[in-house]
Amino acid sequence: MRKSSVRKAIIPAAGMGTRFLPITRAQPKEMLPVVDKPVIQYVVEEAISSGIEDILIITGRGKRAIEDHFDISCELERKLKQNKDSRQFDEDRQISSMADIHYIRQKEQLGLGNAILHAEKHCDDEPFAVLLGDTITIPFKGEKSCTNQMIDSYNKYHSSIIAVEMVARKKIKDYGIIDGNELEDGIYSIKDIIEKPKPENAPSNLGAIGRYVLTPDIFDLLKDTKPGHGDEIQLTDALRKLNRPIGLVTKCRRYDIGDKLGWMKSSIELCLEREEFAEELRAFLNTLNCSEKMA
Ligand code: G1P
């Protein structure tokens, strides 16, 4: 694979998952299954398919299942060998040898900005991608991965890149919302970004979707950032001090898995895209349509 100008990715996965209680009491939201893979595997695969060689996952208490997932399971491998299931064996090995994955713990839940600050030493003054561990992106047909599209924009503009998309008015309160001038179709020069504003105070309806390419100057800005929305250190509050970052409307679908409905939609849509499930699931969904009409 061609060497990328952005070699490192940070995957914050330390959040408590309060929007998905009660399942997240003892289960990391990043480990929720979507079809047959946990969410975080989609995220790691996106990073790797974008040419990233080195991944740092920021975890916290109760997130050990993430490390176990990407580790070698000797017992399972032994069993698969005994069963002579070489396809399953290869698939299992592939998961544990995906990339160089490193882990660091955020010991206190002080917010996304504070989580990213844990990556400073690891990034070693290089630009890096941030992929939120509870968000799946699927590129439109024929397009590169979301992170790859962002790296291309980074190479063009040499500025930090924030992936954005239009969000419904009632959802504005859940996102970092940008204020910007459109430079080209789907590309904005960002003047400001506000974390989770009320719709009446929002400068636009373009919300950050959880994918960023950042320059290392973000770390000093984060160190100077005081707790903001929700009394947490917000990445958004550091981003607004950057010199004109770029907002990019990426050519991809995005699912917010931290949200119950977002998770359900992702499971259904991605199942419909799998040949082995599509026909039966479609037939099943049609029966639901019928009973709705009858009700
Ligand atoms: C975070 C960011 C927010 C961004 C969102 C995307 O919020 O703080 O700016 O729009 O991710 O999912 P969270 O969803 O972690 O509360």
Side-chain angles (χ1 to χ4, degrees):
M1 191 181 290
R2 187 175 58 89
K3 292 253 182 226
S4 168
S5 55
V6 179
R7 300 183 310 128
K8 298 185 179 185
I10 310 305
I11 302 183
M16 282 192 280
T18 46
R19 286 182 296 148
F20 219 130
L21 283 167
I23 201 165
T24 44
R25 280 176 64 85
Q27 145 103 0
K29 60 180 168 174
E30 297 80 9
M31 287 301 292
L32 286 170
V34 174
V35 191
D36 54 3
K37 288 191 277 192
V39 178
I40 196 151
Q41 190 176 329
Y42 288 87
V43 180
V44 166
E45 285 172 354
E46 177 185 330
I48 294 169
S49 72
S50 309
I52 302 272
E53 298 160 359
D54 178 331
I55 294 172
L56 176 68
I57 301 183
I58 300 166
T59 65
R61 278 175 65 77
K63 302 276 184 169
R64 206 172 287 166
I66 297 176
E67 289 179 49
D68 287 344
H69 180 73
F70 292 107
D71 198 2
I72 290 181
S73 167
C74 297
E75 302 86 341
L76 182 61
E77 289 198 348
R78 209 174 307 124
K79 184 84 191 144
L80 294 173
K81 260 190 193 155
Q82 269 169 13
N83 294 353
K84 301 203 173 8
D85 191 340
S86 57
R87 189 187 57 87
Q88 196 79 61
F89 181 89
D90 290 346
E91 271 180 32
D92 195 68
R93 251 299 147 98
Q94 203 237 332
I95 294 173
S96 55
S97 55
M98 275 189 158
D100 254 349
I101 303 185
H102 308 264
Y103 300 90
I104 191 165
R105 272 188 176 226
Q106 184 189 25
K107 295 195 182 79
E108 283 182 278
Q109 296 277 333
L110 299 176
L112 179 60
N114 175 265
I116 305 265
L117 207 39
H118 284 66
E120 182 177 17
K121 271 196 200 141
H122 192 88
C123 289
D124 197 21
D125 229 16
E126 288 187 33
F128 58 98
V130 175
L131 296 84
L132 297 194
D134 62 358
T135 296
I136 294 178
T137 69
I138 307 285
F140 295 159
K141 214 163 180 244
E143 298 292 342
K144 295 179 183 174
S145 75
C146 176
T147 296
N148 222 324
Q149 294 173 39
M150 299 180 69
I151 294 174
D152 286 348
S153 280
Y154 172 76
N155 290 340
K156 181 168 174 190
Y157 292 99
H158 303 287
S159 271
S160 290
I161 311 289
I162 303 173
V164 293
E165 74 174 31
M166 297 248 193
V167 297
R169 191 176 156 80
K170 66 173 185 196
K171 288 280 183 188
I172 281 178
K173 60 167 184 33
D174 297 328
Y175 290 91
I177 301 289
I178 67 160
D179 181 8
N181 302 325
E182 194 165 21
L183 298 175
E184 295 174 46
D185 191 24
I187 296 178
Y188 295 81
S189 168
I190 297 180
K191 288 190 283 185
D192 202 1
I193 171 163
I194 301 170
E195 181 68 3
K196 303 189 173 110
K198 290 187 177 142
E200 56 273 27
N201 300 332
S204 75
N205 58 355
L206 286 169
I209 62 166
R211 294 288 185 269
Y212 312 81
V213 170
L214 301 177
T215 47
D217 47 340
I218 195 71
F219 293 117
D220 281 340
L221 299 175
L222 277 168
K223 283 177 208 158
D224 280 343
T225 300
K226 302 269 171 301
H229 184 90
D231 208 23
E232 292 188 342
I233 296 169
Q234 297 293 347
L235 174 62
T236 299
D237 292 337
L239 293 174
R240 67 195 304 197
K241 294 182 257 173
L242 279 172
N243 185 24
R244 292 264 166 173
I246 295 290
L248 175 72
V249 180
T250 58
K251 297 181 174 71
C252 65
R253 279 181 279 150
R254 186 231 5 154
Y255 302 104
D256 176 5
I257 309 293
D259 173 76
K260 293 177 184 175
L261 200 57
W263 172 75
M264 278 182 255
K265 286 180 182 169
S266 69
S267 301
I268 294 169
E269 279 197 12
L270 295 180
C271 235
L272 284 171
E273 286 168 16
R274 288 273 289 269
E275 216 177 296
E276 68 260 52
F277 306 124
E279 201 181 328
E280 270 191 55
L281 182 59
R282 191 159 284 120
F284 171 69
L285 292 173
N286 282 337
T287 64
L288 298 182
N289 272 344
C290 291
S291 47
E292 196 179 86
K293 275 179 211 147
M294 280 155 62

